[in-house]
Amino acid sequence: MSSRIPARWDLEVDVVAVGSGLGSITAALAAHDGGKRVVILDKAPRLGGLCAYGGGEVFVPNSRYMAKIGKQDSDEAARRYFAFLSGGFNEPGLTEKLLATYREAVEYTADQAGVRWEAVDGLDDYYYPDAPGSATGRYLAVEPFDGSQLGDWQSKTWASSPHFPPATHKEMYAWGGLANITKWDYELLGQRVAEDQRTFGPGMMGYFVKAAVVDRKIEAHVGTAVRELITDDDGRVVGVRAEKDGKDFFVRGASGVVLGVGGYDHNKKMAMMHEEAHDWNSATQPYFHGDHLVMGAEIGADTASVPTYNLAMFYGYNIPGEEHDGAPIFRSSWECGCPHAIWVNEAGERFTDESFYKDYQPRVRQWNGRTQTQDNVPPFLIFDTNYRERYPLGSFMPGMDIPEELAVKADTPRELAEKLGIDADGFEKTLARFNEGARDGRDPEFDAGHFSWSNRLAGDPSYPNPNVGVVEKPPFYGVKLSPVGVGINSHGLRTNADAQVLHVRGHAIPGLYAVGISAALLDLGNGYQSGTSNMRAITWGYVAGRHLGGR
Amino acid sequence: MAEVQHTATSTQPIESIWEFVKEIDNWAPMVTGYQEHEKQNENDSTWVLKGDLGSVTRTLKFKVHVTEWAGPERVTFELEGINELMTGKGVFSMSGAGDGDGDGLSEITPPARPGFFARLRDAIVRFFVYKVMGRHESRPPEDRQTSAEPGAVRSELRFSLEISPGGPMGPMINAMVKPALVVAAEDLARDIVARVEAEA
């Protein structure tokens, strides 16, 4: 039963923040600054949550940081841009609150929590620069964070992400993006590792964790999995039952509980049901199992979804033997954005601009009602020796052998197709057609190279078309890809404009809040892009924390 | 290049240490992250280990070639990565008490030994401190331990290892592997001595 109030609480505070990503920690900070006693509980062995593995971009239109680099923006332009992104799948009231609050929330983190933001100069709205209300300079990232400021927590935070070396955004773009990752300044990056200078997601979360557990001395427990919400006779959430060191650990939150436990990337059943993809894998830490949905369901919480085909889902692979905390870690495949690489389906046909994940997501989910199959699943990454001479595959640098369990290798396209189990005739025709355009840097079929995101992040800017190059130099390689989530899920708890979780009967559940990915993305609708998830996590965490503090 | 070194002392004579070390199968499972090894001949073997690199665990396959069996004083070997761009070399040095270049070994009391991950965290912090404080040393700091009672030390085993990650990311990987190597070297030297002591 979820209404079981224990005879004795192990810990009594005002606010229990469950999870330690951006949303939870911002809520903890705001509640603390509102005079509340707060505790942070996280089932992972380190603080920082999902965000600590990410890119650490925060999308903030019309910020003071834009003004510092001489960029113009307006709230009205931002409103038009978010309306474009939403595709009409948002709840206007939530979007309005988000837009009215995000700047205040981010400035709070800078002014009161010491987060050192800076605008990424020269970075446009690199998803849709031609969209209504688009502008340059809206992306914020943090200055490098010195991990030694965390004191005893230094080794109990996510110091590095397996997906991003400790460069800054400015450096990454200046050094040629991910395609040119072998040309980055690794003497500098090695020095950063040695000195625990953190950037990207680990750097961003370093600032937030420091603000909470070092500066404010907010109590935090890692390795503490919250299993159950505890309600009183009136249905108010008054605490949680967690498991710590194999025992129940009852924590009272007199004012309320904030759920910021991410999504369900490591729950294959939920992922299949909600994300329309089989064999879901994840690039995230193995601690996101949909706990918020289970605990919410037990007390009648409502849930909601946004369309699946426009979130941050990629396709990728696991390098054999690569794990984190005992679970396989999957890498999103950026390779498909490089020249000399394409995707094909089992018919040997291209079906998308594979350099832009927003283009391929709806196409991999496309259902063939005549055959009861998703015809573009699985996609196969195909590349040639032109590629291998220039770019890595995951951790396999040019010149290294790639293990056969990861990549199939063949001397001819036909042999490669046969080894991969794809239609050889179709594949040969596809290559001939693609190469004809690629010689001129064109992709007449799918217009690869059109999007700024693909050009900047995944493409090679030294090419006339950063995302297109012929695939013709033997030997050829093929990798069967799997869905790889990055923790941005389509289904979450339904919340109101105060970040309170709604009951299926429509009223707010007193004492229960959801933030970050645990809250359904109805504020954005169909409008995910890099940085919006972090922005909304900060915003709704700020809203929840202030509401808990009576403001 | 990441370079680590650890010395452990024993109440047993140098010959006993040598008898144990000269047979790879004896101590292979004591190597941190050990998965398997296969001997091709007296000098050559292939190894599979699991090791932490930043926040991920990687499976490392590499070849070992023994370049010198100079018992009972020394075994030297070279490493070459199979699935990682990496080379390295190492030495097991055995000496009688007072023969090595250490001093005061017998006056050190053996501390309690916490778990691997706790010590890895300590090593990471130590490593940060050395770097941040600018205390770069020509040789890594040794963490001498002894399992012997004062005055009972008869031999010491020193394990030295140098790893040079290759490829463009080498300098960064080098910084990432160093803390784990410190702990791994400590474990291996101490565990070998402990086993020799136990079997005496």
Side-chain angles (χ1 to χ4, degrees), chain A residues 15-41 108 208 211-213 216 218-220 258 515 537-538 540-546 548-549 551:
Chain A
V15 175
V16 182
V18 187
S20 63
L22 267 183
S24 288
I25 290 204
T26 305
L29 294 173
H32 174 277
D33 291 356
K36 298 294 182 181
R37 291 169 300 149
V38 182
V39 67
I40 298 168
L41 309 178
Y108 162 78
F208 280 81
V213 301
R216 288 167 175 77
I218 293 175
E219 186 172 345
V258 181
V515 296
I538 292 171
W540 293 117
Y542 176 74
V543 168
R546 284 176 62 83
L548 280 158
R551 290 173 292 168

mmCIF file of all heavy atoms in Angstrom, chain A residues 15-41 108 208 211-213 216 218-220 258 515 537-538 540-546 548-549 551:
data_model
loop_
_atom_site.group_PDB
_atom_site.id
_atom_site.type_symbol
_atom_site.label_atom_id
_atom_site.label_comp_id
_atom_site.label_asym_id
_atom_site.label_seq_id
_atom_site.Cartn_x
_atom_site.Cartn_y
_atom_site.Cartn_z
ATOM 1 N N VAL A 15 11.518 18.782 2.488
ATOM 2 C CA VAL A 15 11.431 18.429 1.068
ATOM 3 C C VAL A 15 12.378 17.283 0.757
ATOM 4 O O VAL A 15 13.563 17.330 1.108
ATOM 5 C CB VAL A 15 11.788 19.652 0.183
ATOM 6 C CG1 VAL A 15 11.811 19.263 -1.288
ATOM 7 C CG2 VAL A 15 10.799 20.791 0.418
ATOM 8 N N VAL A 16 11.836 16.278 0.084
ATOM 9 C CA VAL A 16 12.663 15.171 -0.395
ATOM 10 C C VAL A 16 12.817 15.331 -1.906
ATOM 11 O O VAL A 16 11.830 15.277 -2.648
ATOM 12 C CB VAL A 16 12.018 13.804 -0.095
ATOM 13 C CG1 VAL A 16 12.940 12.676 -0.570
ATOM 14 C CG2 VAL A 16 11.719 13.668 1.382
ATOM 15 N N ALA A 17 14.036 15.549 -2.356
ATOM 16 C CA ALA A 17 14.321 15.628 -3.794
ATOM 17 C C ALA A 17 14.847 14.266 -4.219
ATOM 18 O O ALA A 17 15.899 13.825 -3.745
ATOM 19 C CB ALA A 17 15.342 16.720 -4.081
ATOM 20 N N VAL A 18 14.102 13.607 -5.090
ATOM 21 C CA VAL A 18 14.467 12.259 -5.520
ATOM 22 C C VAL A 18 15.153 12.352 -6.875
ATOM 23 O O VAL A 18 14.564 12.819 -7.850
ATOM 24 C CB VAL A 18 13.232 11.351 -5.603
ATOM 25 C CG1 VAL A 18 13.660 9.912 -5.895
ATOM 26 C CG2 VAL A 18 12.419 11.411 -4.324
ATOM 27 N N GLY A 19 16.395 11.900 -6.931
ATOM 28 C CA GLY A 19 17.213 12.070 -8.123
ATOM 29 C C GLY A 19 18.122 13.272 -7.929
ATOM 30 O O GLY A 19 17.869 14.122 -7.064
ATOM 31 N N SER A 20 19.204 13.321 -8.709
ATOM 32 C CA SER A 20 20.146 14.435 -8.524
ATOM 33 C C SER A 20 20.573 15.038 -9.852
ATOM 34 O O SER A 20 21.687 15.519 -10.002
ATOM 35 C CB SER A 20 21.363 13.979 -7.724
ATOM 36 O OG SER A 20 22.077 12.971 -8.418
ATOM 37 N N GLY A 21 19.673 15.004 -10.826
ATOM 38 C CA GLY A 21 19.926 15.713 -12.072
ATOM 39 C C GLY A 21 19.555 17.182 -11.932
ATOM 40 O O GLY A 21 19.280 17.682 -10.835
ATOM 41 N N LEU A 22 19.512 17.862 -13.070
ATOM 42 C CA LEU A 22 19.276 19.312 -13.056
ATOM 43 C C LEU A 22 17.964 19.676 -12.369
ATOM 44 O O LEU A 22 17.907 20.619 -11.574
ATOM 45 C CB LEU A 22 19.207 19.832 -14.492
ATOM 46 C CG LEU A 22 20.478 20.354 -15.141
ATOM 47 C CD1 LEU A 22 20.141 20.885 -16.514
ATOM 48 C CD2 LEU A 22 21.125 21.433 -14.289
ATOM 49 N N GLY A 23 16.876 18.952 -12.693
ATOM 50 C CA GLY A 23 15.574 19.302 -12.156
ATOM 51 C C GLY A 23 15.525 19.152 -10.648
ATOM 52 O O GLY A 23 15.111 20.068 -9.923
ATOM 53 N N SER A 24 15.962 17.999 -10.162
ATOM 54 C CA SER A 24 15.918 17.738 -8.723
ATOM 55 C C SER A 24 16.799 18.704 -7.959
ATOM 56 O O SER A 24 16.401 19.236 -6.909
ATOM 57 C CB SER A 24 16.395 16.316 -8.421
ATOM 58 O OG SER A 24 15.451 15.394 -8.817
ATOM 59 N N ILE A 25 18.008 18.909 -8.451
ATOM 60 C CA ILE A 25 18.926 19.751 -7.685
ATOM 61 C C ILE A 25 18.468 21.203 -7.710
ATOM 62 O O ILE A 25 18.559 21.905 -6.699
ATOM 63 C CB ILE A 25 20.374 19.590 -8.193
ATOM 64 C CG1 ILE A 25 20.868 18.190 -7.807
ATOM 65 C CG2 ILE A 25 21.273 20.671 -7.616
ATOM 66 C CD1 ILE A 25 22.345 18.029 -7.685
ATOM 67 N N THR A 26 17.949 21.651 -8.853
ATOM 68 C CA THR A 26 17.443 23.026 -8.866
ATOM 69 C C THR A 26 16.274 23.169 -7.903
ATOM 70 O O THR A 26 16.162 24.177 -7.183
ATOM 71 C CB THR A 26 17.020 23.432 -10.288
ATOM 72 O OG1 THR A 26 18.116 23.236 -11.182
ATOM 73 C CG2 THR A 26 16.604 24.898 -10.332
ATOM 74 N N ALA A 27 15.398 22.169 -7.860
ATOM 75 C CA ALA A 27 14.292 22.206 -6.895
ATOM 76 C C ALA A 27 14.827 22.226 -5.467
ATOM 77 O O ALA A 27 14.328 22.967 -4.603
ATOM 78 C CB ALA A 27 13.384 20.996 -7.105
ATOM 79 N N ALA A 28 15.860 21.418 -5.221
ATOM 80 C CA ALA A 28 16.456 21.385 -3.879
ATOM 81 C C ALA A 28 17.037 22.746 -3.512
ATOM 82 O O ALA A 28 16.855 23.234 -2.383
ATOM 83 C CB ALA A 28 17.537 20.299 -3.822
ATOM 84 N N LEU A 29 17.713 23.370 -4.460
ATOM 85 C CA LEU A 29 18.304 24.688 -4.195
ATOM 86 C C LEU A 29 17.225 25.723 -3.893
ATOM 87 O O LEU A 29 17.313 26.479 -2.915
ATOM 88 C CB LEU A 29 19.120 25.150 -5.424
ATOM 89 C CG LEU A 29 20.370 24.340 -5.778
ATOM 90 C CD1 LEU A 29 20.943 24.820 -7.116
ATOM 91 C CD2 LEU A 29 21.407 24.465 -4.681
ATOM 92 N N ALA A 30 16.193 25.751 -4.746
ATOM 93 C CA ALA A 30 15.156 26.772 -4.587
ATOM 94 C C ALA A 30 14.360 26.548 -3.294
ATOM 95 O O ALA A 30 13.996 27.512 -2.610
ATOM 96 C CB ALA A 30 14.228 26.771 -5.801
ATOM 97 N N ALA A 31 14.101 25.286 -2.970
ATOM 98 C CA ALA A 31 13.370 25.009 -1.731
ATOM 99 C C ALA A 31 14.221 25.380 -0.514
ATOM 100 O O ALA A 31 13.737 25.981 0.445
ATOM 101 C CB ALA A 31 12.979 23.531 -1.676
ATOM 102 N N HIS A 32 15.493 25.034 -0.574
ATOM 103 C CA HIS A 32 16.404 25.393 0.517
ATOM 104 C C HIS A 32 16.446 26.910 0.693
ATOM 105 O O HIS A 32 16.370 27.418 1.826
ATOM 106 C CB HIS A 32 17.807 24.854 0.220
ATOM 107 C CG HIS A 32 18.847 25.296 1.206
ATOM 108 N ND1 HIS A 32 19.486 26.518 1.132
ATOM 109 C CD2 HIS A 32 19.349 24.691 2.305
ATOM 110 C CE1 HIS A 32 20.332 26.641 2.127
ATOM 111 N NE2 HIS A 32 20.272 25.541 2.858
ATOM 112 N N ASP A 33 16.570 27.617 -0.409
ATOM 113 C CA ASP A 33 16.657 29.082 -0.337
ATOM 114 C C ASP A 33 15.325 29.695 0.100
ATOM 115 O O ASP A 33 15.283 30.870 0.486
ATOM 116 C CB ASP A 33 17.102 29.649 -1.685
ATOM 117 C CG ASP A 33 18.556 29.285 -1.996
ATOM 118 O OD1 ASP A 33 19.217 28.672 -1.121
ATOM 119 O OD2 ASP A 33 19.029 29.598 -3.107
ATOM 120 N N GLY A 34 14.273 28.904 0.032
ATOM 121 C CA GLY A 34 12.983 29.350 0.550
ATOM 122 C C GLY A 34 12.787 28.967 2.003
ATOM 123 O O GLY A 34 11.670 29.077 2.535
ATOM 124 N N GLY A 35 13.844 28.484 2.615
ATOM 125 C CA GLY A 35 13.783 28.202 4.055
ATOM 126 C C GLY A 35 13.454 26.761 4.406
ATOM 127 O O GLY A 35 13.220 26.452 5.581
ATOM 128 N N LYS A 36 13.439 25.900 3.429
ATOM 129 C CA LYS A 36 13.076 24.505 3.691
ATOM 130 C C LYS A 36 14.315 23.647 3.976
ATOM 131 O O LYS A 36 15.387 23.863 3.413
ATOM 132 C CB LYS A 36 12.332 23.921 2.487
ATOM 133 C CG LYS A 36 11.012 24.622 2.179
ATOM 134 C CD LYS A 36 10.012 24.398 3.292
ATOM 135 C CE LYS A 36 8.662 25.050 2.989
ATOM 136 N NZ LYS A 36 7.691 24.857 4.080
ATOM 137 N N ARG A 37 14.107 22.645 4.834
ATOM 138 C CA ARG A 37 15.141 21.632 5.024
ATOM 139 C C ARG A 37 14.959 20.590 3.932
ATOM 140 O O ARG A 37 13.843 20.089 3.725
ATOM 141 C CB ARG A 37 15.011 20.967 6.394
ATOM 142 C CG ARG A 37 15.345 21.882 7.579
ATOM 143 C CD ARG A 37 14.922 21.229 8.871
ATOM 144 N NE ARG A 37 13.485 20.971 8.867
ATOM 145 C CZ ARG A 37 12.900 19.963 9.492
ATOM 146 N NH1 ARG A 37 13.618 19.111 10.185
ATOM 147 N NH2 ARG A 37 11.596 19.789 9.445
ATOM 148 N N VAL A 38 16.040 20.255 3.257
ATOM 149 C CA VAL A 38 15.952 19.420 2.052
ATOM 150 C C VAL A 38 16.915 18.249 2.159
ATOM 151 O O VAL A 38 18.005 18.376 2.734
ATOM 152 C CB VAL A 38 16.306 20.252 0.794
ATOM 153 C CG1 VAL A 38 16.161 19.413 -0.474
ATOM 154 C CG2 VAL A 38 15.436 21.499 0.698
ATOM 155 N N VAL A 39 16.519 17.121 1.597
ATOM 156 C CA VAL A 39 17.452 16.017 1.415
ATOM 157 C C VAL A 39 17.365 15.563 -0.036
ATOM 158 O O VAL A 39 16.292 15.626 -0.654
ATOM 159 C CB VAL A 39 17.154 14.836 2.370
ATOM 160 C CG1 VAL A 39 15.821 14.161 2.041
ATOM 161 C CG2 VAL A 39 18.279 13.804 2.329
ATOM 162 N N ILE A 40 18.507 15.138 -0.573
ATOM 163 C CA ILE A 40 18.565 14.612 -1.938
ATOM 164 C C ILE A 40 18.858 13.112 -1.849
ATOM 165 O O ILE A 40 19.811 12.708 -1.167
ATOM 166 C CB ILE A 40 19.680 15.306 -2.759
ATOM 167 C CG1 ILE A 40 19.386 16.808 -2.884
ATOM 168 C CG2 ILE A 40 19.830 14.657 -4.135
ATOM 169 C CD1 ILE A 40 20.565 17.615 -3.419
ATOM 170 N N LEU A 41 18.047 12.315 -2.516
ATOM 171 C CA LEU A 41 18.251 10.865 -2.545
ATOM 172 C C LEU A 41 18.449 10.422 -3.985
ATOM 173 O O LEU A 41 17.675 10.792 -4.871
ATOM 174 C CB LEU A 41 17.028 10.132 -1.970
ATOM 175 C CG LEU A 41 16.511 10.575 -0.600
ATOM 176 C CD1 LEU A 41 15.267 9.762 -0.222
ATOM 177 C CD2 LEU A 41 17.586 10.404 0.468
ATOM 178 N N TYR A 108 18.730 32.756 -11.763
ATOM 179 C CA TYR A 108 18.824 32.340 -10.352
ATOM 180 C C TYR A 108 20.006 31.386 -10.158
ATOM 181 O O TYR A 108 20.773 31.510 -9.200
ATOM 182 C CB TYR A 108 17.520 31.658 -9.923
ATOM 183 C CG TYR A 108 17.636 30.823 -8.675
ATOM 184 C CD1 TYR A 108 17.662 31.422 -7.413
ATOM 185 C CD2 TYR A 108 17.740 29.437 -8.757
ATOM 186 C CE1 TYR A 108 17.790 30.647 -6.269
ATOM 187 C CE2 TYR A 108 17.863 28.663 -7.615
ATOM 188 C CZ TYR A 108 17.898 29.270 -6.375
ATOM 189 O OH TYR A 108 18.025 28.503 -5.244
ATOM 190 N N PHE A 208 26.121 22.578 -10.070
ATOM 191 C CA PHE A 208 24.856 22.403 -9.351
ATOM 192 C C PHE A 208 25.049 21.572 -8.071
ATOM 193 O O PHE A 208 24.492 21.890 -7.019
ATOM 194 C CB PHE A 208 23.802 21.757 -10.265
ATOM 195 C CG PHE A 208 23.153 22.736 -11.200
ATOM 196 C CD1 PHE A 208 23.772 23.129 -12.369
ATOM 197 C CD2 PHE A 208 21.923 23.290 -10.902
ATOM 198 C CE1 PHE A 208 23.194 24.042 -13.233
ATOM 199 C CE2 PHE A 208 21.324 24.208 -11.751
ATOM 200 C CZ PHE A 208 21.957 24.591 -12.922
ATOM 201 N N ALA A 211 26.728 23.690 -5.473
ATOM 202 C CA ALA A 211 25.809 24.662 -4.869
ATOM 203 C C ALA A 211 24.945 23.996 -3.802
ATOM 204 O O ALA A 211 24.630 24.601 -2.770
ATOM 205 C CB ALA A 211 24.931 25.293 -5.948
ATOM 206 N N ALA A 212 24.593 22.729 -4.052
ATOM 207 C CA ALA A 212 23.690 22.049 -3.119
ATOM 208 C C ALA A 212 24.436 21.468 -1.919
ATOM 209 O O ALA A 212 24.158 21.833 -0.767
ATOM 210 C CB ALA A 212 22.936 20.939 -3.858
ATOM 211 N N VAL A 213 25.354 20.559 -2.179
ATOM 212 C CA VAL A 213 25.912 19.781 -1.059
ATOM 213 C C VAL A 213 27.135 20.418 -0.423
ATOM 214 O O VAL A 213 27.469 20.095 0.717
ATOM 215 C CB VAL A 213 26.237 18.325 -1.497
ATOM 216 C CG1 VAL A 213 24.990 17.629 -1.998
ATOM 217 C CG2 VAL A 213 27.346 18.294 -2.528
ATOM 218 N N ARG A 216 25.553 24.843 0.323
ATOM 219 C CA ARG A 216 24.376 24.889 1.204
ATOM 220 C C ARG A 216 24.338 23.731 2.200
ATOM 221 O O ARG A 216 23.465 23.674 3.045
ATOM 222 C CB ARG A 216 23.094 24.884 0.359
ATOM 223 C CG ARG A 216 22.847 26.197 -0.370
ATOM 224 C CD ARG A 216 21.775 26.059 -1.425
ATOM 225 N NE ARG A 216 21.449 27.330 -2.060
ATOM 226 C CZ ARG A 216 22.199 27.919 -2.986
ATOM 227 N NH1 ARG A 216 23.339 27.359 -3.366
ATOM 228 N NH2 ARG A 216 21.839 29.075 -3.517
ATOM 229 N N ILE A 218 23.355 20.814 1.810
ATOM 230 C CA ILE A 218 22.136 20.001 1.729
ATOM 231 C C ILE A 218 22.541 18.537 1.853
ATOM 232 O O ILE A 218 23.459 18.069 1.175
ATOM 233 C CB ILE A 218 21.392 20.267 0.401
ATOM 234 C CG1 ILE A 218 20.841 21.699 0.393
ATOM 235 C CG2 ILE A 218 20.272 19.248 0.189
ATOM 236 C CD1 ILE A 218 20.201 22.112 -0.920
ATOM 237 N N GLU A 219 21.858 17.819 2.704
ATOM 238 C CA GLU A 219 22.174 16.407 2.924
ATOM 239 C C GLU A 219 21.846 15.616 1.664
ATOM 240 O O GLU A 219 20.798 15.837 1.033
ATOM 241 C CB GLU A 219 21.360 15.888 4.113
ATOM 242 C CG GLU A 219 21.693 14.477 4.532
ATOM 243 C CD GLU A 219 20.981 14.094 5.828
ATOM 244 O OE1 GLU A 219 20.484 14.999 6.526
ATOM 245 O OE2 GLU A 219 20.916 12.886 6.110
ATOM 246 N N ALA A 220 22.707 14.690 1.315
ATOM 247 C CA ALA A 220 22.466 13.873 0.114
ATOM 248 C C ALA A 220 22.880 12.437 0.404
ATOM 249 O O ALA A 220 23.856 12.185 1.125
ATOM 250 C CB ALA A 220 23.243 14.414 -1.076
ATOM 251 N N VAL A 258 9.798 15.760 -4.536
ATOM 252 C CA VAL A 258 10.035 16.114 -5.934
ATOM 253 C C VAL A 258 10.621 14.906 -6.639
ATOM 254 O O VAL A 258 11.673 14.399 -6.228
ATOM 255 C CB VAL A 258 11.007 17.300 -6.062
ATOM 256 C CG1 VAL A 258 11.207 17.666 -7.535
ATOM 257 C CG2 VAL A 258 10.504 18.501 -5.275
ATOM 258 N N VAL A 515 9.748 16.827 -12.152
ATOM 259 C CA VAL A 515 10.589 17.754 -12.917
ATOM 260 C C VAL A 515 11.469 16.948 -13.868
ATOM 261 O O VAL A 515 11.587 15.725 -13.757
ATOM 262 C CB VAL A 515 11.473 18.611 -11.980
ATOM 263 C CG1 VAL A 515 10.614 19.502 -11.101
ATOM 264 C CG2 VAL A 515 12.362 17.722 -11.112
ATOM 265 N N ALA A 537 14.317 21.451 -17.385
ATOM 266 C CA ALA A 537 14.639 20.845 -16.083
ATOM 267 C C ALA A 537 14.947 21.932 -15.055
ATOM 268 O O ALA A 537 14.459 21.902 -13.919
ATOM 269 C CB ALA A 537 15.815 19.882 -16.212
ATOM 270 N N ILE A 538 15.768 22.887 -15.457
ATOM 271 C CA ILE A 538 16.096 23.993 -14.545
ATOM 272 C C ILE A 538 14.827 24.784 -14.210
ATOM 273 O O ILE A 538 14.563 25.124 -13.044
ATOM 274 C CB ILE A 538 17.155 24.914 -15.198
ATOM 275 C CG1 ILE A 538 18.494 24.180 -15.309
ATOM 276 C CG2 ILE A 538 17.304 26.215 -14.402
ATOM 277 C CD1 ILE A 538 19.535 24.922 -16.131
ATOM 278 N N TRP A 540 11.483 24.005 -14.381
ATOM 279 C CA TRP A 540 10.462 23.363 -13.556
ATOM 280 C C TRP A 540 11.005 23.001 -12.171
ATOM 281 O O TRP A 540 10.257 22.968 -11.195
ATOM 282 C CB TRP A 540 9.873 22.141 -14.266
ATOM 283 C CG TRP A 540 9.084 22.524 -15.485
ATOM 284 C CD1 TRP A 540 9.360 22.191 -16.783
ATOM 285 C CD2 TRP A 540 7.897 23.331 -15.536
ATOM 286 N NE1 TRP A 540 8.419 22.742 -17.636
ATOM 287 C CE2 TRP A 540 7.514 23.447 -16.894
ATOM 288 C CE3 TRP A 540 7.133 23.988 -14.574
ATOM 289 C CZ2 TRP A 540 6.398 24.174 -17.311
ATOM 290 C CZ3 TRP A 540 6.022 24.713 -14.988
ATOM 291 C CH2 TRP A 540 5.666 24.806 -16.331
ATOM 292 N N GLY A 541 12.322 22.741 -12.088
ATOM 293 C CA GLY A 541 12.908 22.549 -10.765
ATOM 294 C C GLY A 541 12.794 23.821 -9.935
ATOM 295 O O GLY A 541 12.447 23.794 -8.746
ATOM 296 N N TYR A 542 13.058 24.932 -10.583
ATOM 297 C CA TYR A 542 12.951 26.238 -9.931
ATOM 298 C C TYR A 542 11.501 26.495 -9.511
ATOM 299 O O TYR A 542 11.232 26.923 -8.375
ATOM 300 C CB TYR A 542 13.430 27.295 -10.917
ATOM 301 C CG TYR A 542 13.318 28.724 -10.459
ATOM 302 C CD1 TYR A 542 14.189 29.245 -9.499
ATOM 303 C CD2 TYR A 542 12.361 29.578 -11.023
ATOM 304 C CE1 TYR A 542 14.096 30.575 -9.106
ATOM 305 C CE2 TYR A 542 12.269 30.899 -10.638
ATOM 306 C CZ TYR A 542 13.142 31.399 -9.678
ATOM 307 O OH TYR A 542 13.048 32.709 -9.298
ATOM 308 N N VAL A 543 10.568 26.202 -10.397
ATOM 309 C CA VAL A 543 9.149 26.403 -10.095
ATOM 310 C C VAL A 543 8.736 25.523 -8.913
ATOM 311 O O VAL A 543 8.082 25.987 -7.963
ATOM 312 C CB VAL A 543 8.282 26.088 -11.334
ATOM 313 C CG1 VAL A 543 6.799 26.005 -10.965
ATOM 314 C CG2 VAL A 543 8.500 27.131 -12.422
ATOM 315 N N ALA A 544 9.126 24.260 -8.956
ATOM 316 C CA ALA A 544 8.746 23.341 -7.877
ATOM 317 C C ALA A 544 9.346 23.773 -6.547
ATOM 318 O O ALA A 544 8.665 23.792 -5.510
ATOM 319 C CB ALA A 544 9.201 21.922 -8.224
ATOM 320 N N GLY A 545 10.625 24.119 -6.567
ATOM 321 C CA GLY A 545 11.289 24.509 -5.329
ATOM 322 C C GLY A 545 10.678 25.755 -4.718
ATOM 323 O O GLY A 545 10.501 25.849 -3.494
ATOM 324 N N ARG A 546 10.342 26.706 -5.570
ATOM 325 C CA ARG A 546 9.719 27.940 -5.055
ATOM 326 C C ARG A 546 8.307 27.665 -4.550
ATOM 327 O O ARG A 546 7.890 28.228 -3.534
ATOM 328 C CB ARG A 546 9.710 29.001 -6.154
ATOM 329 C CG ARG A 546 11.080 29.629 -6.362
ATOM 330 C CD ARG A 546 11.087 30.608 -7.518
ATOM 331 N NE ARG A 546 10.199 31.738 -7.315
ATOM 332 C CZ ARG A 546 10.489 32.838 -6.624
ATOM 333 N NH1 ARG A 546 11.680 32.940 -6.040
ATOM 334 N NH2 ARG A 546 9.624 33.831 -6.506
ATOM 335 N N LEU A 548 7.226 24.919 -3.286
ATOM 336 C CA LEU A 548 7.399 24.235 -1.998
ATOM 337 C C LEU A 548 7.776 25.226 -0.899
ATOM 338 O O LEU A 548 7.446 25.035 0.261
ATOM 339 C CB LEU A 548 8.473 23.152 -2.123
ATOM 340 C CG LEU A 548 8.001 21.853 -2.762
ATOM 341 C CD1 LEU A 548 9.180 21.073 -3.338
ATOM 342 C CD2 LEU A 548 7.252 21.006 -1.733
ATOM 343 N N GLY A 549 8.493 26.266 -1.305
ATOM 344 C CA GLY A 549 8.903 27.284 -0.343
ATOM 345 C C GLY A 549 7.840 28.345 -0.119
ATOM 346 O O GLY A 549 8.101 29.371 0.526
ATOM 347 N N ARG A 551 6.399 30.226 -2.439
ATOM 348 C CA ARG A 551 6.478 31.392 -3.310
ATOM 349 C C ARG A 551 5.896 31.094 -4.687
ATOM 350 O O ARG A 551 5.729 29.962 -5.062
ATOM 351 C CB ARG A 551 7.940 31.821 -3.473
ATOM 352 C CG ARG A 551 8.492 32.409 -2.191
ATOM 353 C CD ARG A 551 9.963 32.668 -2.301
ATOM 354 N NE ARG A 551 10.701 31.398 -2.381
ATOM 355 C CZ ARG A 551 11.980 31.309 -2.703
ATOM 356 N NH1 ARG A 551 12.645 32.409 -2.974
ATOM 357 N NH2 ARG A 551 12.587 30.156 -2.742
#
